[in-house]
Amino acid sequence: MDPGTGSPLFIAQKTLCYYPISTIYNSCPRYLFYALILASCVTRWTGWLADVFLGAAATYAGTAAIQAFILLSAQQKPQSPSPITIPFISANTSLTSDFPELVTETDYIVLAPASLELDADAVLAIVVTGYLVFLPLQAWSRVLTHDRARNLLFYLWNILMLAGSICALIYAARVPNTPTQYMFCYPDIPPYDDTSSDGWQSSWRTSTWNSSVWETFSNISVWGQIGDICYNPCFNTTQILRQQTSLHSATVTEDSAAPSSHGFWNKILYSKRYIYSLIILCLVLNCLLLVFKFLPYKSRIPSSQIVVIWKSRRKIWNGFKEDVRHGIQRPLDEKPGNEEGRTVAYPAKKQSLWHRLRPFLTWQFVNAFLHVSVDAGILFGMLFSMIISPFTIVAFVAWAEWTLYNDGPSQESPQQVGQWAYLVSIALLVISAGILTLKYRIASSTELDNEIEATRMHLTNLEEKREARSESDEL
């Protein structure tokens, strides 16, 4: 206590130290990313337009995936906990009106300076969405996967999104372990709701945190040097890819609109299982679709098009029943004395359990069962990818954006250039791509002649490569 006034020398209040969401991940760029993904699905048959939309979305999501790798590989290491003695304040004090998160009924706390990276929430939303949307895109669009080079590029992007999702999930799972942060203030000078850091000077921490706090508030001249109303030890922390001056300290209450320290994970209890289940299910279905498309497997599913599957539904069902019947009945017909088609009569007797189960334990039945199971899995994967998967993506995006909304307001409004610049860039890219598609209509005769000659040379080169490959295949 201050002997002159009878009030505590300083108070300790819980605070949230965080790096706000970067400009590139604010609401406008994120909504543009979702719009580009949707536009890629809607214009999937156009070719060039879908390439523009999907290419822009892929580069944006790829940037988020790279950041997920960096965040996980260089995650902030927690500082050693340090006990700090504080003035004892009773719970019925009037100071709670100015300090809503005031620490009461104790004379010490344990401090371990740390900060939250809110970019992790936005990165997680982007990379998981980019991974989930791969499933319906490859199921619905034949343009995106009609040649090997395009297909390879498409799958490489999917692998990048999967790796980014895993890294973002691992990083986000560690967020709840962030220790509670505190700020220290004079009792008659309440802090602002949100304070940004002006940097950290080494002189602000003399030895231990306990000594530094007491020396700061015991000497008014030392307190005046910290450049802030309150003493925030968390401003001593750093985060990769961030400037230290972008760190914020905010007082968070249950009714506050400030960023939430819980991030994605403590909002909904089953959130981890929900995202993990979606990613694992999409991974399994992607493997099934790969089996259907590329491996030499003879499936009874005639096509990956939903219309063709619906028209052939009876044929598919009858094929399933025929496989199962063939796997069961054939072993029953293989009886001694029946090699030449003669029927051998057996005395009626009760069959044992082993004899009844024997047809189901043959290799032929196992083969038929596996064939039917794989076809059923492929059919389920296609139906899920085409019909159910889009709804799960919409549900995930809505939930992710609601969580990001609770992380606090954006740093920039849509009117600022950092937000609408991405939209203008995409618009100019679409205009440029559209003009290039009209190059043959607006080209001169000389340009057309040159293009024809170049095409002939290119065709000759392709024919030579085709002949060389045919000769190598024959050898």
Side-chain angles (χ1 to χ4, degrees), residues 30 33 55 64 99 107 113 116 129 144 196 261 281 308 354 363 368 400 414 418 448 467 473:
R30 290 200 316 272
F33 168 71
F99 302 93
D107 58 357
L116 293 175
T129 302
L144 296 175
S196 60
S261 61
L281 179 60
V308 178
W354 169 254
W363 170 250
L448 290 176
E467 292 177 359
D473 292 340

Side-chain angles (χ1 to χ4, degrees), residues 243-276:
Q243 292 184 350
Q244 196 174 24
T245 53
S246 62
L247 183 58
H248 285 240
S249 174
T251 302
V252 180
T253 60
E254 293 183 357
D255 300 329
S256 175
S260 170
S261 61
H262 299 296
F264 266 117
W265 303 110
N266 292 339
K267 294 290 183 181
I268 303 176
L269 294 178
Y270 60 86
S271 57
K272 287 183 180 179
R273 288 177 291 176
Y274 172 68
I275 300 178
Y276 292 158

Side-chain angles (χ1 to χ4, degrees), residues 54 133-134 137-138 144-145 149-159:
L54 188 58
V133 80
F134 173 80
L137 269 180
Q138 73 158 335
L144 296 175
T145 57
R150 188 187 296 264
N151 204 26
L152 176 62
L153 184 62
F154 199 45
Y155 274 93
L156 286 177
W157 179 59
N158 181 46
I159 293 174

Side-chain angles (χ1 to χ4, degrees), residues 4 27 40 47 89 163 177 180 208 215 301 304 319 373 422:
S27 56
S40 301
I89 301 176
N177 298 326
T180 303
T208 63
E215 289 177 8
I301 311 300
S304 60
S373 300
Y422 300 100

